[in-house]
C-alpha cells in the first residue's frame, strides 16, 4: 500500500496522541516527585524506545513494516497536539497536588504528630519517675586518680614529667639524657 488511507492516518494520529500522553504522564511524575535532571534523563531513556516500538508496530500494521514519512509526521503531529493541549493542565494539576499535599502534611503535623509527641514525652517522664521510685539508686563510684609514671617504665615517667613527645627528644638532635645534664 503506497497511499495513505483514512484508517491508517487515524491510527498514526491516535498513537502519536498516546505517546504525547505518555510524555505528559512522565512530566507529571517528575513535577510531583520534584525530580531533577536525572529523572528527566531516565524518563527520556524510557520514552525513546517506547516511541520506536510504537512506530515500528504501526509501520507493520499499515505498510508491512516499511516506515513511511507520513506515518512519522502524523505520529509527531498527534503527540504535539496532545502536549500543546494538555501541558497547562498537567502543570496546574501538579501545582494543585503539591499545594494539597503540603496542607495535608501541615494538618497532620499540627493535629496528630505534635500532640502524639507531647503525649509520648509526658508518658515517658511518668514512667521514668516510677522507675526511679521502684528501683534503688546506684551509688556513684569514686574515681581513682591515676598515678603518673607507675607501671609504665622509667622512660614513660620521664616523658610524662617533662611533657616530651613520645620519641624522647626535646628538639631535633637532643635527647632526654642531654637535657637532664
Amino acid at each position: 500500500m503506497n497511499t495513505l488511507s483514512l484508517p491508517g492516518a487515524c491510527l498514526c494520529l491516535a498513537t502519536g496522541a498516546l505517546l504525547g500522553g505518555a510524555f505528559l504522564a512522565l512530566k507529571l511524575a517528575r513535577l510531583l516527585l520534584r525530580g531533577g535532571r536525572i529523572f528527566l534523563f531516565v524518563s527520556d531513556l524510557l520514552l525513546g524506545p517506547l516511541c520506536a516500538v510504537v512506530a515500528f508496530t504501526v509501520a507493520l500494521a499499515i505498510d508491512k513494516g516499511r516506515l513511511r514519512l507520513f506515518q512519522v509526521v502524523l505520529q509527531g503531529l498527534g503527540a504535539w497536539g496532545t502536549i500543546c493541549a494538555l501541558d497547562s493542565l498537567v502543570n496546574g494539576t501538579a501545582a494543585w497536588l503539591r499545594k494539597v499535599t503540603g496542607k495535608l502534611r501541615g494538618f497532620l503535623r499540627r493535629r496528630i504528630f505534635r500532640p502524639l509527641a507531647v503525649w509520648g514525652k509526658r508518658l515517658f517522664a511518668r514512667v521514668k519517675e516510677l522507675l526511679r521510685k521502684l528501683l534503688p539508686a546506684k551509688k556513684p563510684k569514686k574515681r581513682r586518680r591515676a598515678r603518673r609514671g607507675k607501671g609504665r617504665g622509667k622512660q614513660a615517667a620521664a616523658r610524662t614529667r617533662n611533657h616530651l613527645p613520645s620519641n624522647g627528644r626535646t628538639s631535633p638532635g637532643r635527647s632526654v639524657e642531654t637535657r637532664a645534664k
Side-chain angles (χ1 to χ4, degrees), residues 109-128:
R109 194 175 290 143
R110 277 190 317 274
R111 301 289 183 196
I112 294 174
F113 296 125
R114 281 188 188 151
L116 278 177
V118 169
W119 179 76
K121 284 181 183 179
R122 289 179 187 162
L123 176 69
F124 287 123
R126 288 180 185 167
V127 169
K128 192 175 180 181

Side-chain angles (χ1 to χ4, degrees), residues 137-157:
K138 292 183 179 179
K139 293 180 182 178
K141 292 183 179 180
K142 292 183 180 179
R143 288 189 171 191
R144 293 190 300 184
R145 290 183 60 196
R147 294 181 188 173
R148 293 184 174 214
K150 186 171 183 178
R152 291 188 293 171
K154 292 181 181 180
Q155 290 179 347

